[in-house]
Amino acid sequence: MARWEPDAESRLRAAALELFGEIGYEQTTVAGIADRAGLTARTFFRYFTDKREVLFSGSGSLEQLMVAGLAQAPVDASAFDVVAAALIRAGEFLSPERRPISRLRNSVIAANMELRERELIKMATLSTALAQGLRERGIGEPEASLAAEAGIAVFHVAFTRWVGKSEQRSYVEIVNDALARLRALMSN
Amino acid sequence: MARWEPDAESRLRAAALELFGEIGYEQTTVAGIADRAGLTARTFFRYFTDKREVLFSGSGSLEQLMVAGLAQAPVDASAFDVVAAALIRAGEFLSPERRPISRLRNSVIAANMELRERELIKMATLSTALAQGLRERGIGEPEASLAAEAGIAVFHVAFTRWVGKSEQRSYVEIVNDALARLRALMSN
């Protein structure tokens, strides 16, 4: 039977990101990640299907939080206010503690075309989930898709700022600022 | 010397889309496309690098039109009005004559994961080009990125409607409607 390893998943994630940064994503192997974490490859595969999944396994949590955020918005909120509530809720995932890991993750993704593609698919999946959640709240088309896609546009800009090197503000401050700026741009 | 073939490029494109629809994208070969068009594979490669490029060779024209649309907007137009001008200018490419081909193309892309990824990359590339054009007009960040990404969100929703089976309105009518609806959603 496998030995219980305290916090094996986060140790593996940290080890993988270290190696991606040091020797590159392509050159990093599962054996190397497990070795760096002081664990076995067998333990790695208990948490992740492959090295790419280390970078994207958080997507599900982010989507669940956003969809939960939609559901909690007041019943009379407008479609875009509902999406704004979902984006703000994502701040529970994009916490100060996660920020160094997110910055490292972002630089790994930026350097690899296949990973950038995967990140775009993740954004499209988030948008589809938000549009579905809006339709379940009784918002029709094309409003549901417009609000969801514009919301993900704001999320993408805010997230990119949040992982930027010199940015000090929290994700929630940045996303609120981006929402206000887009509203101002569109009312002119 | 190669024989001059009138309108070889559009014959090859039509033949490729027919075959993608009939036997599937994966099963279609360059030889099959050339044969259907009554041309040689050698002629095919004078216009396209591979069968995938048949689906995406229009991206450059679309991007050029949008960027030209940005440049022509009045100097005092707001960032989002500039983007709206770019989206409307894309209507010169998304013409009534192109619509049957675009519908066929869209159904081929929807059925293939790799092609859907390529289409997402195309959208991201358009957004980057619009943001760059906005910065060249003196619009700062994050406004340039927000306006560009929200604009591409509207473009994506409008384009998806335009290629929809039962949709009768022109692309320009649809995109103007989508722009007005998003503005209304964000001002509530």
Side-chain angles (χ1 to χ4, degrees), chain A residues 146 149-150 186, chain B residues 61-73 78-95 122-123 126-131 134 146-159 162 170-183:
Chain A
L146 283 167
E149 297 230 12
M186 297 198 66
Chain B
S61 312
L62 191 60
E63 182 177 320
Q64 281 165 25
L65 267 176
M66 284 194 183
V67 170
L70 286 184
Q72 287 176 346
S78 75
F80 200 76
D81 284 339
V82 175
V83 168
L87 299 191
I88 290 163
R89 186 73 192 272
E92 290 176 28
F93 186 78
L94 305 175
S95 64
K122 193 184 100 177
M123 294 290 162
L126 283 174
S127 177
T128 303
L130 290 184
L134 290 171
L146 283 167
E149 296 231 12
I152 292 304
V154 171
F155 174 73
H156 188 227
V157 171
F159 178 82
W162 181 65
S170 71
Y171 163 78
V172 171
E173 285 178 274
I174 299 167
V175 83
N176 272 319
D177 176 66
L179 285 162
R181 284 177 196 258
L182 184 60
R183 282 185 200 273

Side-chain angles (χ1 to χ4, degrees), chain A residues 68-82:
Chain A
L70 286 184
Q72 287 175 346
V75 283
D76 60 345
S78 76
F80 200 76
D81 284 339
V82 175

